[in-house]
Amino acid sequence: MGQRNERLRWLLVSGLLTALHMERLTERYSRRSVMAGFSLINGGLSIALVSFVALITQEAFIFPSLGATAFILFHVPLAASASPRNTLCGHFVGAAMGLLSLYVFGLQTQPSAFINGVDLARVGAAALSLGLTGCLMVLFRVAHPPAGATALIVSLGLMPDPAQLPILMAGVSLLLGHAFVMNRLSGIPYPLWSGKSAAGSADAVPGA
């Protein structure tokens, strides 16, 4: 599995360079250097896109767990956890469980843990949000590890307003749109929705 993912990552990078007529880079530099440069540029561009929208709108389109999501979308694009289904549903579950935990422990109007510090109620909210997020992602088969961070971001009071949930999901959708374009441009059969189709396509990728 590790070697196949490595070949897929190289196919993504080399395919994109070919599409941009920059294939000479693969001859001049080592594979590791080219892939590291790809992660630097593509990861930076994806987050810059979401951050720019946040700057223009002054809304919370950008939040820390998107960084981990961006890495997964471009590093292992055909993994089930990188599919649009898992990414969207995972972050939604994480945010919803974070909000639920705030209400369960009466913290919905309290300042964040980074202002007031951590008390027993905040410990309970954090534990409940992460536990429920993991449970529901397993039950509904929408595992996306960065969603655990989203649950904690909300339950620790950084995004406590339910009105921020649609904005949060819009940020995820922007990132997914960029990942879809870049992966498809490089020849990777990134799925429209479910990771099941991507898993099946992985075996059909040349050299995989």
Side-chain angles (χ1 to χ4, degrees):
M1 180 63 72
Q3 292 181 348
R4 184 172 69 176
N5 283 333
E6 188 72 19
R7 287 194 291 268
L8 287 172
R9 285 192 291 271
W10 178 246
L11 180 63
L12 188 157
V13 175
S14 59
L16 183 58
L17 290 176
T18 299
L20 298 175
H21 304 290
M22 300 173 64
E23 57 270 17
R24 288 186 179 180
L25 290 176
T26 63
E27 302 172 359
R28 184 173 181 180
Y29 300 101
S30 69
R31 177 178 292 194
R32 184 178 297 274
S33 296
V34 172
M35 292 177 66
F38 176 83
S39 293
L40 170 66
I41 295 171
N42 212 32
L45 283 176
S46 63
I47 295 301
L49 171 65
V50 181
S51 299
F52 183 74
V53 175
L55 173 65
I56 296 300
T57 62
Q58 290 299 300
E59 297 286 356
F61 281 92
I62 186 73
F63 50 97
S65 53
L66 278 187
T69 292
F71 184 79
I72 290 175
L73 294 181
F74 296 111
H75 196 60
V76 284
L78 294 186
S81 60
S83 70
R85 175 178 181 267
N86 286 42
T87 302
L88 281 171
C89 294
H91 278 295
F92 178 80
V93 167
M97 294 306 100
L99 288 171
L100 175 63
S101 70
L102 290 178
Y103 282 90
V104 168
F105 288 90
L107 297 170
Q108 64 272 24
T109 60
Q110 298 300 310
S112 76
F114 295 93
I115 296 176
N116 273 10
V118 176
D119 54 18
L120 286 177
R122 192 67 71 177
V123 170
L128 179 64
S129 68
L130 188 58
L132 287 176
T133 297
C135 174
L136 292 177
M137 286 196 297
V138 171
L139 283 176
F140 294 110
R141 299 180 181 179
V142 291
H144 184 70
T150 298
L152 291 178
I153 288 168
V154 176
S155 62
L156 290 175
L158 294 179
M159 299 180 75
D161 187 352
Q164 292 176 307
L165 181 56
I167 299 170
L168 183 152
M169 297 309 300
V172 176
S173 298
L174 280 173
L175 190 59
L176 279 170
H178 180 245
F180 180 86
V181 171
M182 299 303 287
N183 283 316
R184 286 297 182 97
L185 183 62
S186 62
I188 296 293
Y190 188 70
L192 287 170
W193 179 241
S194 174
K196 292 181 180 179
S197 59
S201 299
D203 296 329
V205 174

